[in-house]
Amino acid sequence: MFLPVGFVEQEAGQLYSDIAIAISASILASMLVAITVVPTAAARLQISTTARQTDKKLTPRGMGLAWQQFTVKTVAWLLANDRRRAACILLTFIISGAIMVTLTPPAEYLPEGEEPKVFAMMNAPPGYNVDAMVEVANELREYFMPFVDDDPERFARGETAVPALAYINLRVQASGLRIITEPKDPSDTDQILDVFTQKYREFPGMRAFAARG
């Protein structure tokens, strides 16, 4: 039931995949205990039908039997008629809702997942100056600007080599440059990483990499 949640992608998968795996593992462990340990332990139990008294005090076995009888009588009383059953169900819902409202953490408590932003860094080798890096930045700008506000379907149909970009933020300095961009379709983030990596490799001597936000 919970295991498919572990295969959910994007932010929901990052938030809930670990929880789904933990719950699935605990359910599997409890199932193994239920079909192995519990029957073996139950076969060795000896339950007395009467509570023995010693010096007017119940023994541990008698106390357990008394608690068992109290529980059975309480459940039987709750299920005696429709009104009690309905009241028990309503009370359970009210208590569960109160627990959810009071114990649910605020949204800011949850960790942030990966964003569809791409950070493409290029570090220049020693000896480069600002003018040289500006030339590289102009070449990159001319190449990528036509794809800003482009139609994402063009890349899906194979008409373009670069996915549609929402924007490009370019910063240049003597030691290198940095481009921050975001795809119009978040599912194209990995493709944009590959595109920037391949484009950066056309500049010899540069140390470059692209990473997801």
Side-chain angles (χ1 to χ4, degrees), residues 23-211:
I23 294 177
S24 301
S26 63
I27 293 176
L28 178 61
S30 69
M31 182 189 69
L32 295 177
V33 172
I35 63 178
T36 58
V37 178
V38 173
T40 304
R44 296 178 178 274
L45 291 177
Q46 296 180 359
I47 301 176
S48 176
T49 57
T50 60
R52 299 179 181 178
Q53 295 185 358
T54 303
D55 297 333
K56 298 183 180 180
K57 294 182 179 180
L58 289 176
T59 62
R61 180 177 297 179
M63 293 177 63
L65 181 60
W67 177 256
Q68 179 183 7
Q69 292 175 348
F70 171 77
T71 304
V72 172
K73 290 180 179 179
T74 302
V75 173
W77 181 83
L78 290 174
L79 301 179
N81 54 57
D82 294 339
R83 182 176 298 179
R84 293 177 184 175
R85 288 194 292 267
C88 181
I89 294 174
L90 180 61
L91 183 62
T92 301
F93 273 103
I94 293 176
I95 294 176
S96 301
I99 293 175
M100 293 175 59
V101 171
T102 56
L103 298 183
T104 300
E108 293 78 6
Y109 173 80
L110 299 175
E112 294 184 359
E114 290 185 350
E115 297 180 354
K117 291 184 175 61
V118 173
F119 295 83
M121 312 289 293
M122 178 183 293
N123 297 325
Y128 269 65
N129 53 30
V130 175
D131 294 335
M133 292 307 302
V134 168
E135 293 181 3
V136 174
N138 290 334
E139 183 175 345
L140 293 173
R141 185 187 296 109
E142 293 177 0
Y143 180 78
F144 287 110
M145 281 302 296
F147 303 103
V148 176
D149 290 331
D150 196 12
D151 183 9
E153 295 298 328
R154 296 185 59 207
F155 177 77
R157 294 192 298 264
E159 299 177 3
T160 62
V162 180
L165 305 176
Y167 61 85
I168 284 185
N169 186 330
L170 194 152
R171 178 181 178 183
V172 185
Q173 54 187 6
S175 59
L177 59 85
R178 179 183 68 178
I179 293 179
I180 302 177
T181 186
E182 183 175 345
K184 297 189 69 174
D185 185 356
S187 62
D188 293 334
T189 304
D190 292 335
Q191 287 78 3
I192 290 182
L193 290 173
D194 296 336
V195 168
F196 272 90
T197 301
Q198 295 175 3
K199 186 62 178 178
Y200 278 7
R201 288 176 180 173
E202 298 179 2
F203 301 91
M206 298 288 184
R207 291 182 293 116
F209 66 92

